[in-house]
Amino acid sequence: RISPDDFLTDVNNPGDSAMTLKELFFESLRYSVNYMLDPYGEHNYMGMFLPTRDDKIAGRADWKIAETSSQVSAFINTWMCSCTITFSPEAEKLKIGNSRGSATKLIILLNELTINVFKALAATPMKERRFSFAASIDGSRLTMELVNTYKYENSSTGYGKVIVGNIVNGFQGD
């Protein structure tokens, strides 16, 4: 479990191994893109994002060299969907430690959200695929908003909804 007090402790005393919110978000994007491009998975998401043999070869080659946040964004914009990612200056610099598990819980939350965004977008025609992520800090409130163009009631198996709900509730978020 996570609590707001745990999160504040990990933000106020991040430690040497802390990661910024931006680093955590881009790590979850990397994880989600890897999942989508897994040719051995039980799903066929790679075929939805890279439909032809030439696309698979070129896309996977591009993904292998995507290391920086701008390269990851460029890959997503080229091969998967139109994406816009913004951080306020304060949110970009926010360091989150893990002595109380906050960084781990936050990356689990971001992984679950970004994977579900890509799963939903895979079923959307390429020209209509868009998502945006914005993070900002207003006073003592951190706001993160993730939006995609796919309209759905619920694309989760149920486990993701429970995981996301528990973590968001732990952070006292909505």
Side-chain angles (χ1 to χ4, degrees):
R1 300 228 14 118
I2 188 85
S3 73
D5 291 336
D6 290 339
F7 185 73
L8 288 174
T9 297
D10 282 342
V11 167
N12 291 328
N13 304 298
D16 294 336
S17 62
M19 293 177 74
T20 66
L21 178 60
K22 183 176 180 178
E23 290 168 331
L24 289 169
F25 181 72
F26 276 96
E27 281 303 310
S28 39
L29 278 182
R30 283 182 187 92
Y31 176 83
S32 297
V33 171
N34 277 329
Y35 180 81
M36 294 294 116
L37 299 183
D38 181 1
Y40 304 108
E42 294 179 19
H43 55 73
N44 187 29
Y45 294 115
M46 185 169 89
M48 294 174 176
F49 289 109
L50 306 173
T52 70
R53 184 176 187 280
D54 289 345
D55 288 343
K56 286 177 180 62
I57 292 168
R60 290 182 60 80
D62 284 354
W63 182 240
K64 283 183 182 177
I65 61 170
E67 294 180 11
T68 67
S69 58
S70 60
Q71 291 169 327
V72 170
S73 294
F75 174 87
I76 292 169
N77 275 296
T78 300
W79 294 103
M80 300 180 81
C81 64
S82 172
C83 75
T84 305
I85 301 168
T86 58
F87 289 84
S88 71
E90 299 85 8
E92 186 169 349
K93 292 184 272 182
L94 180 67
K95 284 193 159 207
I96 303 163
N98 205 38
S99 66
R100 301 262 179 110
S102 299
T104 299
K105 297 290 192 291
L106 192 54
I107 204 159
I108 291 168
L109 173 66
L110 292 170
N111 283 347
E112 186 64 31
L113 293 173
T114 55
I115 280 178
N116 280 329
V117 162
F118 287 126
K119 283 179 180 179
L121 289 175
T124 305
M126 182 63 170
K127 291 180 181 177
E128 298 172 25
R129 292 179 188 166
R130 284 182 289 290
F131 91 86
S132 64
F133 175 82
S136 61
I137 295 177
D138 183 19
S140 63
R141 185 168 178 85
L142 169 63
T143 301
M144 294 185 293
E145 182 179 51
L146 184 63
V147 178
N148 71 33
T149 53
Y150 182 72
K151 307 290 185 225
Y152 57 93
E153 295 281 325
N154 182 1
S155 70
S156 176
T157 60
Y159 293 118
K161 189 175 183 180
V162 170
I163 292 168
V164 168
N166 285 342
I167 294 173
V168 169
N169 288 337
F171 284 124
Q172 290 185 340
D174 40 65

